[in-house]
Amino acid sequence: NAGVMQNPRHLVRRRGQEARLRCSPMKGHSHVYWYRQLPEEGLKFMVYLQKENIIDESGMPKERFSAEFPKEGPSILRIQQVVRGDSAAYFCASSPPGGVNTEAFFGQGTRLTVV
Amino acid sequence: AQSVAQPEDQVNVAEGNPLTVKCTYSVSGNPYLFWYVQYPNRGLQFLLKYITGDNLVKGSYGFEAEFNKSQTSFHLKKPSALVSDSALYFCAVRKRDSSYKLIFGSGTRLLVRP
């Protein structure tokens, strides 16, 4: 049973380009969360999605950032017109449905570097 | 504001000695409490959680954590540290009325010397 899979592991983009980060949740998990980790800081919640629905995007910057979790395929976090301040590790987590007692399982992250 | 504090940026301990990594929280209600560990260039791995019941929670790799409601603390402990325990440890809480959003501390780097 593969864990949460994120790709790419490392991504380098020039300022102004677009970054696409992918996340495949664990088998049987229908809830996906994206977190951002800035250097020397803890993880900050960005967005919570279920299949085809954004449940909570309160942690997502209002501009340039978007997320989706289509019926088929991985969840995508998209950052348009990247800036140096977007450089961070982006972690995806997933959890099974229906359980407030369940813990989230994290992927290995995508480290985005904007040059 | 809801927050999680890990007052120590780094904890140094000799192999074989007990270790404690501190965590306090300021979150309304009785949140769920978690510890995660992050090895270099890796994702977060779940260690343990407190939902309800016994204040001493046992988790993976010999770690345990003690919940103290009056002090709003959830310190991570291990009786005998291993060099391989060296990593970054994160405390996190989740409100009971919100089944998903984790609030993380800033992390504590544990260094176990041989």
Side-chain angles (χ1 to χ4, degrees), chain A residues 65-90:
Chain A
F65 285 71
S66 62
E68 62 177 14
F69 188 18
K71 187 176 180 181
E72 301 291 338
S75 174
I76 305 288
L77 178 67
R78 182 181 177 204
I79 311 172
Q80 294 178 289
Q81 300 174 334
V82 295
V83 301
R84 289 240 172 95
D86 297 332
S87 296
Y90 292 83

Side-chain angles (χ1 to χ4, degrees), chain A residues 103-115:
Chain A
E103 63 272 15
F105 292 83
F106 284 79
Q108 292 185 303
T110 294
R111 279 158 181 79
L112 172 66
T113 302
V114 179
V115 297

Side-chain angles (χ1 to χ4, degrees), chain A residues 9 35 56 100-103, chain B residues 36 41 49 94 100 102:
Chain A
R9 293 287 307 281
Y35 288 81
D56 181 348
V100 296
N101 292 341
T102 60
E103 63 272 15
Chain B
Y36 286 85
N41 298 316
K49 66 183 177 187
R94 192 174 73 201
Y100 50 89
L102 287 165

Side-chain angles (χ1 to χ4, degrees), chain B residues 1 7 13 16 18-19 49 63-64 68-69 74-75 80 86 88 91 98 102-103 114:
Chain B
V13 65
L19 68 89
K49 66 183 177 187
F63 283 93
E64 57 190 28
N68 187 317
K69 185 175 181 179
F74 191 53
H75 300 332
S80 178
S86 299
L88 191 55
C91 180
S98 155
L102 287 165
I103 304 169

Side-chain angles (χ1 to χ4, degrees), chain B residues 9-89:
Chain B
D9 290 336
Q10 183 161 313
V11 169
N12 298 306
V13 65
E15 187 173 32
N17 283 0
L19 68 89
T20 298
V21 182
K22 295 179 181 177
C23 172
T24 59
Y25 60 91
S26 176
V27 176
S28 58
N30 296 312
Y32 302 115
L33 305 166
F34 301 83
W35 276 100
Y36 286 85
V37 59
Q38 184 180 29
Y39 296 100
N41 298 316
R42 301 282 294 278
L44 273 70
Q45 294 180 31
F46 169 78
L47 274 181
L48 51 78
K49 66 183 177 187
Y50 173 80
I51 303 296
T52 187
D54 194 349
N55 289 346
L56 186 64
V57 178
K58 294 192 182 295
S60 306
Y61 313 119
F63 283 93
E64 57 190 28
E66 186 168 13
F67 169 60
N68 187 317
K69 185 175 181 179
S70 63
Q71 296 183 3
T72 59
S73 67
F74 191 53
H75 300 332
L76 181 69
K77 300 181 179 184
K78 187 172 182 181
S80 178
L82 299 172
V83 173
S84 58
D85 292 331
S86 299
L88 191 55
Y89 290 81

